[in-house]
Amino acid sequence: METIGIITYHYPHLKTEQVLLNLLNKYSPAQLKIYALPFVPRRDRNIQINHRPDQSVSVAPEVMAKAHDISYTPVAHDYDIPDGLDYYLILGAGILSEAFVKNKKTVNCHPGVIPAVRGLDAFKWSILEMQPLGVSLHFIDERVDAGEVISIIPTNVYLTDTMETLCRRHYENEIFIISNFDRYLEHPTNIFEGIAEGQPHRRMDATTEAVMTGKFEEYKQKFQYSAR
């Protein structure tokens, strides 16, 4: 019986709520173990586009665990999370230690096409740099968003998209692929294999974000979906 470790925050977290509910359609509560790290709020930033829904508008993982009889363990550091489970899924965490990465099969979903778009705000950097939009399921190693790719699925872009509709669709893909990590481990897919590697990005500043939004119409023209 496979056992899955869920790495998240000891704090309400929408992605965790959504993925847990999906996993419970396939796994018994006994197969899931939640390890909750301390949550450190980010400082307020001046941004134009919230490319992800407010993650705090959700049910806390501790409440989810109690309701569904899932093991729940708050931990101070990632090295307090025991080895021995089949897979560990990253649903909420900061940078993980090298020791953690070395000893566990840890799966993450990055909201950009690896290795072209790495680091933070991948959705926005994809548009600015005119890179294809997709979500990457990958194993974590000591590098930033550069571990072994399991699968990448594209996010469809339509000419009538607004920034908001494309953000929503992209986030939905992220939830879908991490919820179905087992399927993609068995049947990997990556239409972007061989794409050139990019450098890791930091958070996009407001000035650069304004440039990005100005390129949105051009981006849709370049990457609009067409059936093949």
Side-chain angles (χ1 to χ4, degrees):
M1 182 176 71
E2 281 193 333
T3 50
I4 313 298
I6 306 297
I7 314 301
T8 186
Y9 297 117
H10 187 56
Y11 192 81
H13 191 242
L14 178 61
K15 182 177 178 180
T16 302
E17 176 188 330
Q18 292 170 309
V19 174
L20 266 178
L21 289 174
N22 289 335
L23 291 176
L24 283 166
N25 290 324
K26 299 185 289 183
Y27 295 94
S28 72
Q31 292 177 275
L32 305 175
K33 297 182 183 296
I34 300 174
Y35 299 98
L37 292 160
F39 176 74
V40 180
R42 296 192 181 108
R43 62 181 178 84
D44 289 338
R45 297 167 52 240
N46 178 25
I47 58 174
Q48 296 183 39
I49 303 296
N50 288 310
H51 61 286
R52 296 164 67 79
D54 186 343
Q55 294 292 296
S56 68
V57 182
S58 59
V59 177
E62 186 173 14
V63 174
M64 297 283 293
K66 185 175 181 180
H68 294 280
D69 199 23
I70 301 170
S71 170
Y72 183 88
T73 307
V75 292
H77 306 282
D78 65 17
Y79 50 73
D80 296 323
I81 299 172
D83 299 338
L85 304 188
D86 293 288
Y87 294 99
Y88 296 79
L89 301 185
I90 301 299
L91 300 186
I95 297 175
L96 297 167
S97 68
E98 186 174 341
F100 180 94
V101 170
K102 279 185 175 180
N103 295 322
K104 299 174 177 66
K105 288 184 179 178
T106 306
V107 178
N108 182 53
C109 178
H110 172 65
V113 174
I114 293 176
V117 184
R118 301 162 57 203
L120 301 172
D121 284 352
F123 175 88
K124 298 177 182 179
W125 288 107
S126 296
I127 294 172
L128 181 74
E129 297 178 345
M130 290 289 162
Q131 294 284 0
L133 197 59
V135 291
S136 303
L137 193 69
H138 67 107
F139 288 110
I140 288 181
D141 65 14
E142 66 278 3
R143 300 170 298 163
V144 176
D145 299 326
E148 178 190 348
V149 170
I150 300 165
S151 288
I152 302 178
I153 59 174
T155 297
N156 292 346
V157 178
Y158 301 101
L159 284 178
T160 57
D161 266 322
T162 62
M163 193 73 75
E164 289 74 19
T165 61
L166 188 56
C167 288
R168 173 187 52 76
R169 189 177 311 115
H170 190 59
Y171 177 75
E172 288 170 351
N173 270 352
E174 185 179 344
I175 299 302
F176 179 82
I177 197 170
I178 192 73
S179 298
N180 293 285
F181 79 98
D182 44 0
R183 177 199 304 181
Y184 287 102
L185 280 167
E186 291 185 9
H187 305 287
T189 179
N190 180 9
I191 66 171
F192 303 109
E193 194 166 358
I195 196 169
E197 183 171 346
Q199 295 299 314
H201 289 297
R202 297 181 180 274
R203 293 281 176 198
M204 184 176 284
D205 61 76
T207 301
T208 308
E209 190 177 47
V211 177
M212 180 273 297
T213 57
K215 298 180 73 171
F216 187 55
E217 292 302 319
E218 179 187 357
Y219 185 84
K220 290 191 295 181
Q221 289 288 341
K222 181 174 181 179
F223 290 104
Q224 62 179 297
Y225 177 80
S226 61
R228 294 175 175 82

